[in-house]
Amino acid sequence: MSISGLISLAFTAMIIENVILNQFLGICPFLGVSKKRSSAVGMGVAVVAVILLSGIITWSLYRFVLSPLKMEYMQTIVFILVIAALVQMVELILKKTSPALYKALGIYLPLITTNCAVLGVALINIRKDYNFAEMIVFSLFIPLGFLLVITIFSMLREKIDTAPVPKAFKGTPIALITAAILAMIFSRFGGLI
Amino acid sequence: MDILLPALVLGAIGFVLGLLINLVSKYFHVEEDSRIETIEAMLPKYNCGACGYAGCHDMAIGLLNKKAMVNQCKPIKQEAKEALMAHLDELFKAEKTSTNN
């Protein structure tokens, strides 16, 4: 694939087919950790690291181990194993390097394991038969889209906290409505490419 | 053979990943209050979350900071519970005398 093809893939992955607003993957941390901007950005960066690493490892495992041995049917269980181990490592590293972020993310950090965006990217890499360059671009820009949207969303939620929201909509309902409006805005990017 | 090979491959991948986690946990080991460790060792270690904490480790921190009650732990056995309560009493008593001095 040419450079322009890669750029359009990057743009598609990050904005047009945004992982949260268009594919509805990774909603749990999106709603759970978006109350404060600092922890939202931390979550986004952790997700970028996990998805990129797990994308590279799962793609290589599939290409060089599972596929030659005709064990493609094992992909789901192998990918889950890799992702769980990676998240465990990220958790240990974060605990050492950034205790404040570790505390802010709390239970949502181990829950990256069950963040379906991670497994989703690993499986889409295989399903769409990406080569190495495409896989790197896709596994980098999907979580960057996640980081972008969760950052925007956390800023909106910080504003909503000070706004006079009707009692019935306080908390999660208004967050879901905001997310829906954000998704509608992002869906308009669909005509760009 | 058709069944054995996938099992072996999966086992090998799991082994390598386990080894890596072990290395990372050694290299990025965080020194923690040894009191947390002793309290955690006395909890059931089910990490069931019934106490409202994310796991037994968090519960141990809560107990040490007097934010949690031993009663919050649902699966703990009666003897273990009494031992843990005695241990905590001792800890807090020791703390008091050391601050008084």
Side-chain angles (χ1 to χ4, degrees):
Chain A
M1 197 186 257
S2 60
I3 292 293
S4 64
L6 286 181
I7 292 173
S8 94
L9 176 66
F11 196 73
T12 309
M14 186 166 166
I15 310 263
I16 298 170
E17 283 177 13
N18 186 278
V19 62
I20 297 172
L21 298 176
N22 198 291
Q23 306 190 44
F24 308 116
L25 298 173
I27 302 283
C28 165
F30 175 62
L31 291 171
V33 210
S34 56
K35 285 196 190 85
K36 260 175 59 193
R37 187 166 30 148
S38 52
S39 49
V41 173
M43 184 57 160
V45 173
V47 166
V48 172
V50 170
I51 291 191
L52 185 59
L53 275 174
S54 73
I56 294 169
I57 295 173
T58 53
W59 185 87
S60 318
L61 269 178
Y62 185 86
R63 276 288 159 98
F64 303 119
V65 178
L66 297 186
S67 199
L69 292 172
K70 303 228 170 348
M71 280 167 44
E72 286 91 345
Y73 61 90
M74 295 280 283
Q75 54 169 314
T76 312
I77 193 161
V78 170
F79 290 2
I80 290 172
L81 193 65
V82 170
I83 291 165
L86 265 177
V87 172
Q88 190 72 52
M89 286 182 221
V90 168
E91 197 185 339
L92 286 166
I93 293 171
L94 262 187
K95 197 175 177 185
K96 175 91 177 179
T97 53
S98 171
L101 184 60
Y102 177 81
K103 228 175 168 185
L105 293 179
I107 186 67
Y108 290 99
L109 189 57
L111 277 180
I112 299 178
T113 315
T114 49
N115 184 340
C116 40
V118 185
L119 186 61
V121 169
L123 291 173
I124 292 169
N125 276 334
I126 302 304
R127 194 174 65 201
K128 295 207 174 159
D129 207 17
Y130 284 148
N131 61 31
F132 186 75
E134 289 168 321
M135 178 272 292
I136 292 281
V137 168
F138 191 75
S139 324
L140 178 63
F141 279 89
I142 282 278
L144 281 181
F146 180 90
L147 175 61
L148 174 76
V149 168
I150 200 171
T151 310
I152 295 175
F153 192 59
S154 64
M155 292 196 249
L156 288 173
R157 274 187 95 169
E158 279 180 352
K159 286 269 178 228
I160 287 172
D161 275 348
T162 60
V165 179
K167 205 177 170 194
F169 286 108
K170 273 222 166 85
T172 312
I174 192 73
L176 285 169
I177 291 167
T178 318
I181 295 170
L182 205 56
M184 281 197 268
I185 297 168
F186 266 70
S187 75
R188 300 311 299 158
F189 284 117
L192 275 179
I193 291 186
Chain B
M1 204 53 211
D2 285 348
I3 296 176
L4 203 60
L5 188 66
L8 280 176
V9 171
L10 196 62
I13 294 171
F15 181 75
V16 171
L17 289 170
L19 215 62
L20 277 174
I21 291 181
N22 202 340
L23 285 177
V24 169
S25 75
K26 285 253 166 68
Y27 192 74
F28 287 95
H29 182 68
V30 182
E31 276 305 325
E32 272 189 323
D33 200 332
S34 61
R35 290 176 298 174
I36 296 173
E37 221 165 274
T38 48
I39 296 175
E40 195 185 348
M42 297 175 96
L43 287 166
K45 293 190 262 333
Y46 293 158
N47 289 323
C48 61
C51 53
Y53 286 89
C56 290
H57 186 79
D58 280 7
M59 173 72 168
I61 295 172
L63 282 171
L64 191 62
N65 296 333
K66 296 184 191 172
K67 279 186 186 148
M69 303 286 287
V70 179
N71 285 338
Q72 275 170 261
C73 187
K74 302 290 178 231
I76 195 167
K77 294 215 170 68
Q78 191 61 40
E79 309 97 72
K81 193 175 178 176
E82 278 156 14
L84 180 56
M85 278 172 157
H87 177 70
L88 283 173
D89 277 345
E90 225 168 85
L91 263 183
F92 294 144
K93 235 181 244 165
E95 217 168 67
K96 236 181 202 171
T97 49
S98 69
T99 47
N100 283 346
N101 295 340

